Amino acid sequence: MPDLTKIHEQFPILDQKINGSKLIYFDNGATTQKPVRVIDCEANFYRTTNANIHRGVHTLSRLATDQFEAARKTVAKHFHVANDQQIIFTAGTTDAINIVAEGLSKKYLQEGDEIILSSYEHHSNILPWQLWAQNNKGLLKVIPLKANHSLDYEAFEKLITPKTKLIAIGHVSNTLGVITDLERVTTIAKKHNLIVLVDGAQAVPHMAVDVEKLEVDFYVCSAHKLYGPTGVGVLWMSEKWLKDLPQTRAGGGTIKTVSFDKTEYVEGALRFEPGTPNIAGVISFAEAIKFADEIGMQTIFDHEHNLVQHAQKLLLEIPEIEIYGVDNHKAGVISFNVTGQHPFDVGTLLDKYGIAVRTGHHCTQPLMQCLNILGTVRISFAIYNTIEEVDFFVEKLKKVIRMLS
Amino acid sequence: MSIQEIEKEIIEEFEFFGEDWESKYEHLIDLGKSLPLIKSELKTDDRIIQGCQSRVWLNAEVKDDKIIFTADSDAIITKGMVALMIRVLSDQKPEDVVKATMGFVDKIGLKEHLSPTRANGLVSMINQMKKEALKRI
């Protein structure tokens, strides 16, 4: 077990009062707080090293380039990726999915093709595909949920037709916390020659991810959910796609030579990183990864698992509470409702006690339609959350239920 | 009563709770629960004011030169706020509604409900009430 008091101290934002109460931040699914070393790293870059990368011969430009490329290696190592050129920095998960969707639609997706998604996809892993489908007479098919809110994998295989080209699926549901059985998904996908994109936005903060072992085509995630800055994301693609995925965005940094007649593009990650990237963000993301790796992703998973188990046990003792996806193997997230109460009301009152939770549809409106609810209250954990915070939350939640009923 | 008089009355009513936010919210919840709001046949999609989280239905009609608002929301705290808005702006002359500053919301310590977050339909609700009033001047 990590020394939690020391970890808490590393997050200055947690040391404040909200509405007169100590802040309890349970909205980590939306974004995590940043340890002081990540904040310092970003500030220090601007204080000491700021220059553009891959362009200058001067010292600062070289230093900035070195740090940027070192960050690529840090990220690659974290995800057990041997070739760091497979780590492409993007503006975030959404940006990464859009890059893949734009690229595939140029060459690999034909009019009338089909794409399979899961019922619990985040909007960012629905909308780019929907946009493609609308413009290309394509069809989106959805893997249904079972009664216990896990995915119906048998139904997945039945959705596949000769026109099915791709499955885009979340590694962990941001709303339910359910962990997707990717091995099962890829076994089926391989049999039918499907391209597999995995949205790892909600998995990467909670657990160790060995991207190469997953045997998928694309894996995407965001820095800010893993103690890093906003506006940075990762697009990992297999060696095949690193060469074959058509480039849809061009600009400085992606080229070998340019003339008005013909331009030659570089190979590798830079081909997908046009323009000046979020240099300070990428470098401080690497610092965030070092922070997480020093604690250990397994330790983070175990700690959050304890919090989930503890919270779930206490919540199940409250008769008015309904938890979604309770029976599943899950990561750091609990979604629930208070019978007869609107999640907005529950969230508003918890905030008055300094407790930050997420309420609403969590950008998974199709899932809400599937469960036939308006929204949920979601608590999602990070390494700095504690059992005491969970106890305080449950105590105040009981009070909120009394106030509302 | 004029808009200003009603606002003053509400401010006094909430002053009674002082800094005790729990009682303040209990009062708001009671307001939400007890007020007869919109007729169910008027809860149509074209009357919805969409916030990210709670929905508000608003209907406006004119009676004796005054604008009458009825409304409802699916969240009880929002409904309590809606009840206050209606108490202030309904049964008033349209030109007075357009001019109303709604400063009382800040004074009763519930300003957070007017923050321009997407979660909140209340700012849109006030704008919609003013629009409806403007149409009738």
Side-chain angles (χ1 to χ4, degrees), chain A residues 3 71 83 102 104 118 128 139 148 184 199 204-205 212 227 262 297 324 371 392 401:
Chain A
D3 185 345
N83 175 9
E102 288 159 14
L104 291 178
S118 85
L139 186 64
N148 67 354
R184 230 170 140 178
D199 171 359
V204 159
E212 281 181 356
Y227 310 105
K262 188 177 187 284
M297 290 313 295
Y324 301 97
L371 299 172
F392 182 81
I401 294 170

Side-chain angles (χ1 to χ4, degrees), chain A residues 137-149:
Chain A
K137 301 192 180 85
L139 186 64
L140 298 187
K141 288 181 161 178
V142 184
I143 308 173
L145 287 183
K146 286 185 171 172
N148 67 354
H149 305 149

Side-chain angles (χ1 to χ4, degrees), chain B:
Chain B
M1 267 200 279
S2 75
I3 288 180
Q4 287 76 14
E5 281 163 350
I6 301 170
E7 287 195 37
K8 200 166 157 256
E9 193 183 81
I10 293 173
I11 292 165
E12 279 165 10
E13 193 175 301
F14 273 83
E15 264 168 7
F16 174 75
F17 302 112
E19 293 301 301
D20 178 8
W21 73 263
E22 283 175 347
S23 309
K24 214 179 261 183
Y25 270 76
E26 268 160 10
H27 182 56
L28 198 61
I29 290 163
D30 284 343
L31 287 176
K33 280 181 185 163
S34 62
L35 238 102
L37 296 165
I38 203 167
K39 285 181 201 148
S40 59
E41 64 264 30
L42 293 175
K43 281 171 78 169
T44 51
D45 283 352
D46 59 328
R47 288 188 178 83
I48 285 188
I49 297 162
Q50 196 92 41
C52 193
Q53 300 205 357
S54 58
R55 293 172 297 177
V56 173
W57 291 264
L58 178 72
N59 184 58
E61 47 201 285
V62 175
K63 214 167 129 191
D64 303 330
D65 292 336
K66 288 186 174 169
I67 189 157
I68 310 287
F69 291 111
T70 46
D72 196 359
S73 171
D74 50 6
I76 195 71
I77 292 172
T78 309
K79 205 164 160 178
M81 292 294 291
V82 164
L84 287 174
M85 306 293 176
I86 287 192
R87 201 162 126 195
V88 173
L89 294 182
S90 189
D91 205 13
Q92 300 289 345
K93 286 188 191 140
E95 50 269 36
D96 293 338
V97 170
V98 173
K99 279 187 283 184
T101 56
M102 312 301 274
F104 80 98
V105 180
D106 192 6
K107 294 207 177 84
I108 60 176
L110 296 170
K111 199 191 176 186
E112 72 259 33
H113 294 285
L114 288 183
S115 81
T117 149
R118 270 195 301 166
N120 212 321
L122 278 178
V123 176
S124 324
M125 180 188 168
I126 294 175
N127 289 340
Q128 190 60 31
M129 289 171 110
K130 292 195 170 200
K131 256 190 226 164
E132 296 286 351
L134 200 58
K135 275 195 256 171
R136 290 165 171 92
I137 289 178

Side-chain angles (χ1 to χ4, degrees), chain A residues 50-312:
Chain A
N50 180 45
N52 213 327
I53 53 170
H54 297 304
R55 288 154 174 78
V57 291
H58 62 80
T59 305
L60 288 189
S61 175
R62 192 168 41 74
L63 284 175
T65 305
D66 286 352
Q67 286 179 25
F68 189 87
E69 290 307 321
R72 204 187 299 279
K73 289 193 171 67
T74 303
V75 174
K77 203 174 141 212
H78 178 83
F79 291 115
H80 303 269
V81 172
N83 175 9
D84 70 1
Q85 288 303 300
Q86 289 173 286
I87 299 295
I88 294 148
F89 289 117
T90 67
T93 300
T94 305
D95 187 40
I97 296 172
N98 275 288
I99 292 170
V100 176
E102 288 159 14
L104 291 178
S105 67
K106 276 240 161 168
K107 193 168 167 188
Y108 292 90
L109 294 173
Q110 312 295 331
E111 205 171 272
D113 276 348
E114 297 170 1
I115 290 175
I116 295 179
L117 308 169
S118 85
S119 289
Y120 50 61
E121 285 322 301
H122 190 259
H123 292 167
S124 58
N125 198 26
I126 300 173
L127 303 180
W129 308 115
Q130 193 171 55
L131 204 57
W132 169 81
Q134 281 164 358
N135 293 330
N136 297 279
K137 301 192 180 85
L139 186 64
L140 298 187
K141 288 181 161 178
V142 184
I143 308 173
L145 287 183
K146 286 185 171 172
N148 67 354
H149 305 149
S150 70
L151 271 191
D152 188 342
Y153 296 97
E154 285 89 16
F156 165 39
E157 191 154 16
K158 291 189 193 123
L159 293 177
I160 300 170
T161 74
K163 293 200 150 200
T164 311
K165 289 285 173 65
L166 173 127
I167 169 159
I169 193 163
H171 195 168
V172 167
S173 154
N174 72 312
T175 302
L176 304 174
V178 172
I179 301 172
T180 304
D181 186 348
L182 283 182
E183 211 179 309
R184 230 170 140 178
V185 168
T186 51
T187 306
I188 298 168
K190 254 189 250 165
K191 220 162 84 185
H192 298 272
N193 223 3
L194 305 187
I195 302 166
V196 181
L197 175 134
V198 177
D199 171 359
Q202 296 291 337
V204 159
H206 302 298
M207 57 208 251
V209 176
D210 187 332
V211 170
E212 281 181 356
K213 247 193 207 156
L214 295 175
E215 295 187 68
V216 300
D217 295 274
F218 302 97
Y219 195 94
V220 299
C221 66
S222 293
H224 72 96
K225 295 187 200 285
L226 181 60
Y227 310 105
T230 55
V232 177
V234 171
L235 162 57
W236 173 90
M237 54 177 85
S238 66
E239 296 281 356
K240 169 190 151 42
W241 291 111
L242 193 61
K243 288 191 201 75
D244 290 354
L245 186 72
Q247 176 174 4
T248 52
R249 303 167 181 190
T254 61
I255 48 93
K256 265 190 213 159
T257 59
V258 177
S259 75
F260 281 115
D261 299 326
K262 188 177 187 284
T263 293
E264 265 191 278
Y265 289 94
V266 290
E267 285 167 6
L270 291 183
R271 181 160 77 89
F272 297 100
E273 294 176 359
T276 300
N278 184 352
I279 305 168
V282 164
I283 292 167
S284 54
F285 175 33
E287 190 65 27
I289 283 191
K290 286 177 196 162
F291 163 81
D293 283 345
E294 281 170 26
I295 296 167
M297 290 313 295
Q298 189 57 45
T299 308
I300 292 175
F301 183 86
D302 292 343
H303 174 62
E304 293 179 1
H305 184 72
N306 285 340
L307 296 175
V308 166
Q309 293 296 313
H310 184 69
Q312 214 156 252

Side-chain angles (χ1 to χ4, degrees), chain A residues 36-55:
Chain A
V36 74
R37 62 192 273 188
V38 170
I39 300 167
D40 286 350
C41 179
E42 179 132 2
N44 281 338
F45 175 79
Y46 286 117
R47 209 170 269 137
T48 64
T49 324
N50 180 45
N52 213 327
I53 53 170
H54 297 304
R55 288 154 174 78

Side-chain angles (χ1 to χ4, degrees), chain A residues 359-378:
Chain A
T359 59
H361 53 62
H362 317 294
C363 299
T364 55
Q365 289 189 26
L367 173 63
M368 297 297 118
Q369 289 149 17
C370 203
L371 299 172
N372 200 21
I373 50 178
L374 282 169
T376 72
V377 181
R378 181 186 74 182

